[in-house]
Amino acid sequence: MKFNVEGMTCSHCERAITRAAAALGGTARVDIAAGTVEVDGVTDETRVRRAIEDEGYRVLGNDGATEKDSGCCGSCHT
């Protein structure tokens, strides 16, 4: 399943989402430039969305609306 995700800006963000998917038993392909995350190996969309949001990112709905107001991991900001 593929998600539009806002707030990813650096390699730390990519690793955080990859680890979150792995914790659910899946794998993630993160494209920071496109703002997308594709997760394989997990069938529960709600669990994947929650895992991404729990890492501090915004999962966008089909209309571009924000599902959760959060931000970047903070690793790349001073």
Side-chain angles (χ1 to χ4, degrees):
M1 64 193 80
K2 191 170 186 177
F3 300 92
N4 293 316
V5 178
E6 195 171 81
M8 303 182 299
T9 58
C10 65
S11 61
H12 176 270
C13 299
E14 181 178 1
R15 285 190 305 274
I17 290 178
T18 300
R19 281 192 306 264
L24 298 176
T27 59
R29 284 182 302 287
V30 179
D31 186 334
I32 299 228
T36 60
V37 174
E38 193 165 346
V39 177
D40 294 318
V42 183
T43 58
D44 187 339
E45 182 178 336
T46 302
R47 288 182 66 212
V48 175
R49 282 177 170 269
R50 187 174 305 126
I52 293 170
E53 291 172 345
D54 286 350
E55 291 298 326
Y57 306 98
R58 296 178 197 137
V59 177
L60 303 177
N62 291 334
D63 62 353
T66 301
E67 294 290 333
K68 179 180 179 183
D69 187 19
S70 55
C72 175
C73 64
S75 177
C76 55
H77 297 284
T78 58

